[in-house]
Amino acid sequence: MPFNFENFINNSKLEYTKEIVGIDTFLSSLGFHYFSNVQLNNKHITFNSISLVLEVSCNLDLLELLSHFNTGRWGNSGTEESPLQHALEILNTKNKYNIDIEELTFFLNDTSIVIKRIYDKSIPTQLNDILKQIAFNYVFLTRGLTQKPYEIFVPIFEDSIENMEANEDQINTAPKTYSEFWGIYLDKDDEASIYDVLKNTYVSGDLEFLSE
């Protein structure tokens, strides 16, 4: 059979504009469990996968959110897995290609939390642990409750860091967990700071293109 260039182009267009079955139900489920307005900001499509960029707008301050999360009144599906993980698993059963979360941003009243994917299904499977880490580190993040974080980036990557003066041997590869280094913008600082999660302290270094 001769190669039909027009059919090839048309099939390629269909492949890269594929629809996600059940996406509205997925977003509604997240909105219900996280008391939020959840929007699909973007999706990156390959031949066998779709990566979602989600924005979650929640009418809570960070401390309120952490308090409700710790008591199970927010972000709780009744199981150990996060509502995000549960909803994504259901979404994947409805589609023939792999769907994952590339980036998840919580827009709160006083701060935003940007979480980047570091491996397959890392965000949905680790979201609860990330929130627990933020709660545990809150006093240290705020420098003893003297400052408020208005942006938290989890985690930061090697190409975001320049002139690292401490822990250089620990930041020479892409992060393997969310418990290494975060980028924090504090309300009294002009630039972002690098937070060492394991040591509960800020370290010296410069960040560039943190939100990319």
Side-chain angles (χ1 to χ4, degrees), residues 157-187:
F157 292 79
E158 180 185 5
D159 56 3
S160 297
I161 304 171
E162 287 194 350
N163 303 320
M164 193 67 185
E165 298 176 3
N167 300 313
E168 289 184 357
D169 57 331
Q170 298 181 45
I171 312 186
N172 55 9
T173 59
K176 296 180 177 61
T177 75
Y178 289 108
S179 301
E180 295 182 23
F181 296 91
W182 299 345
I184 313 290
Y185 280 96
L186 295 169
D187 57 0

Side-chain angles (χ1 to χ4, degrees), residues 56-66 105-114 131 134 138 141-142 147-154 183-187:
V56 181
S57 299
C58 185
N59 188 27
L60 291 172
D61 291 344
L62 178 58
L63 272 180
E64 290 180 297
L65 182 147
L66 295 176
T105 301
F106 286 97
F107 290 106
L108 308 179
N109 291 336
D110 57 350
T111 191
S112 60
I113 304 170
V114 182
L131 293 171
I134 293 175
Y138 187 81
L141 285 177
T142 58
Q147 293 182 255
K148 283 190 175 183
Y150 64 87
E151 286 184 322
I152 302 173
F153 292 83
V154 182
I184 313 290
Y185 280 96
L186 295 169
D187 57 0

Side-chain angles (χ1 to χ4, degrees), residues 66 69-70 130-139 141 182:
L66 295 176
F69 172 72
N70 287 334
I130 292 170
L131 293 171
K132 290 175 184 177
Q133 286 272 20
I134 293 175
F136 177 80
N137 283 273
Y138 187 81
V139 172
L141 285 177
W182 299 345

Side-chain angles (χ1 to χ4, degrees), residues 35-196:
F35 308 147
S36 305
N37 177 34
V38 182
Q39 293 184 333
L40 175 61
N41 178 269
N42 203 351
K43 58 182 179 181
H44 300 145
I45 302 173
T46 67
F47 281 107
N48 60 0
S49 68
I50 298 181
S51 297
L52 308 180
V53 177
L54 300 178
E55 293 183 350
V56 181
S57 299
C58 185
N59 188 27
L60 291 172
D61 291 344
L62 178 58
L63 272 180
E64 290 180 297
L65 182 147
L66 295 176
S67 175
H68 292 318
F69 172 72
N70 287 334
T71 56
R73 294 195 297 267
W74 180 93
N76 184 8
S77 62
T79 64
E80 291 186 1
E81 64 182 11
S82 67
L84 175 61
Q85 181 180 357
H86 182 68
L88 186 64
E89 289 172 353
I90 294 175
L91 185 65
N92 268 288
T93 64
K94 298 179 180 180
N95 293 272
K96 61 182 179 180
Y97 28 77
N98 180 62
I99 301 175
D100 198 3
I101 311 300
E102 179 179 335
E103 180 178 308
L104 175 67
T105 301
F106 286 97
F107 290 106
L108 308 179
N109 291 336
D110 57 350
T111 191
S112 60
I113 304 170
V114 182
I115 305 172
K116 297 277 192 176
R117 178 177 59 194
I118 56 176
Y119 53 81
D120 188 42
K121 300 297 190 299
S122 64
I123 294 178
T125 58
Q126 298 300 315
L127 179 58
N128 283 353
D129 286 338
I130 292 170
L131 293 171
K132 290 175 184 177
Q133 286 272 20
I134 293 175
F136 177 80
N137 283 273
Y138 187 81
V139 172
F140 306 103
L141 285 177
T142 58
R143 300 187 188 277
L145 304 179
T146 62
Q147 293 182 255
K148 283 190 175 183
Y150 64 87
E151 286 184 322
I152 302 173
F153 292 83
V154 182
I156 51 177
F157 292 79
E158 180 185 5
D159 56 3
S160 297
I161 304 171
E162 287 194 350
N163 303 320
M164 193 67 185
E165 298 176 3
N167 300 313
E168 289 184 357
D169 57 331
Q170 298 181 45
I171 312 186
N172 55 9
T173 59
K176 296 180 177 61
T177 75
Y178 289 108
S179 301
E180 295 182 23
F181 296 91
W182 299 345
I184 313 290
Y185 280 96
L186 295 169
D187 57 0
K188 297 179 182 178
D189 296 342
D190 294 330
E191 298 181 351
S193 300
I194 300 171
Y195 183 77
D196 186 328

